[in-house]
Amino acid sequence: MDDNTVLIGTKPLMNYVLAVVTQFNTGVPEVVIKARGKAIVRAVDTAEVATRQFLPGVTKKSISTSTDAIETDDGLSNISSIEIVLQKL
Amino acid sequence: MDDNTVLIGTKPLMNYVLAVVTQFNTGVPEVVIKARGKAIVRAVDTAEVATRQFLPGVTKKSISTSTDAIETDDGLSNISSIEIVLQKL
């Protein structure tokens, strides 16, 4: 399942859009886009641009959010995360 | 329906969490959190903090994303938006 996951970081948006398109071109039926914190915006942008401009047969299957505990210099801290599942129809 | 909507902007997170809690305290069964662009992260944070720390009987009913066309100095531009519906059980 990890092969189908695109983890969003700080690179330019189109890098992630291309990663999603490439995943679908390998023939997988679903691609999962994951992000935490500030990268959540880029995850939403990735899903929107990929489905609207590059993958006409792909739709958003589900979107979920959660809270992860991460270790920082000041101890444990909570950070929001998002998971967007794209599905080829 | 607009009364139940909390539009996320650039204020501190807790302002929006308080707005969501206040809405539910008026007795409405659902509150809609909306945001565009960079505010999307704060919308997710608002939903997570409100449901986890302040509203134990409230869950995320649905999360959807879309693309809005907005007017900028350079003409029309696309911006991602998110809509999170919270529901009192």
Side-chain angles (χ1 to χ4, degrees):
Chain A
M1 286 295 279
D2 274 353
D3 284 348
N4 302 1
T5 299
V6 174
L7 186 63
I8 307 295
T10 57
K11 290 176 190 167
L13 174 64
M14 281 304 165
N15 290 40
Y16 301 109
V17 173
L18 183 64
V20 170
V21 173
T22 304
Q23 283 291 323
F24 275 112
N25 283 345
T26 67
V28 298
E30 286 184 5
V31 172
V32 182
I33 301 169
K34 290 184 182 181
R36 291 204 296 201
K38 286 181 184 172
I40 286 174
V41 181
R42 199 168 290 120
V44 173
D45 286 341
T46 299
E48 288 294 319
V49 172
T51 55
R52 283 168 51 94
Q53 296 181 19
F54 295 97
L55 299 163
V58 171
T59 59
K60 287 164 274 183
K61 182 187 179 189
S62 68
I63 306 173
S64 61
T65 62
S66 58
T67 303
D68 295 348
I70 59 165
E71 274 193 55
T72 66
D73 294 343
D74 303 325
L76 280 180
S77 181
N78 287 327
I79 190 166
S80 298
S81 67
I82 196 167
E83 191 174 310
I84 303 173
V85 181
L86 300 183
Q87 181 181 39
K88 189 176 275 182
L89 293 181
Chain B
M1 286 295 278
D2 274 352
D3 284 348
N4 303 0
T5 300
V6 174
L7 186 64
I8 307 295
T10 57
K11 292 177 188 167
L13 174 63
M14 281 304 165
N15 290 39
Y16 301 109
V17 173
L18 184 64
V20 170
V21 172
T22 303
Q23 283 291 325
F24 274 112
N25 284 344
T26 66
V28 298
E30 288 184 5
V31 172
V32 182
I33 300 169
K34 290 185 181 179
R36 290 203 295 201
K38 286 181 185 172
I40 287 174
V41 182
R42 199 168 289 122
V44 174
D45 287 342
T46 300
E48 288 295 318
V49 172
T51 55
R52 283 169 50 94
Q53 297 179 20
F54 295 99
L55 299 164
V58 171
T59 60
K60 286 163 275 182
K61 183 187 178 188
S62 69
I63 305 173
S64 61
T65 62
S66 59
T67 302
D68 296 347
I70 58 165
E71 274 192 56
T72 67
D73 293 343
D74 303 326
L76 280 180
S77 181
N78 287 328
I79 189 166
S80 297
S81 67
I82 195 167
E83 189 172 311
I84 304 172
V85 181
L86 301 183
Q87 179 180 41
K88 189 176 276 183
L89 293 181

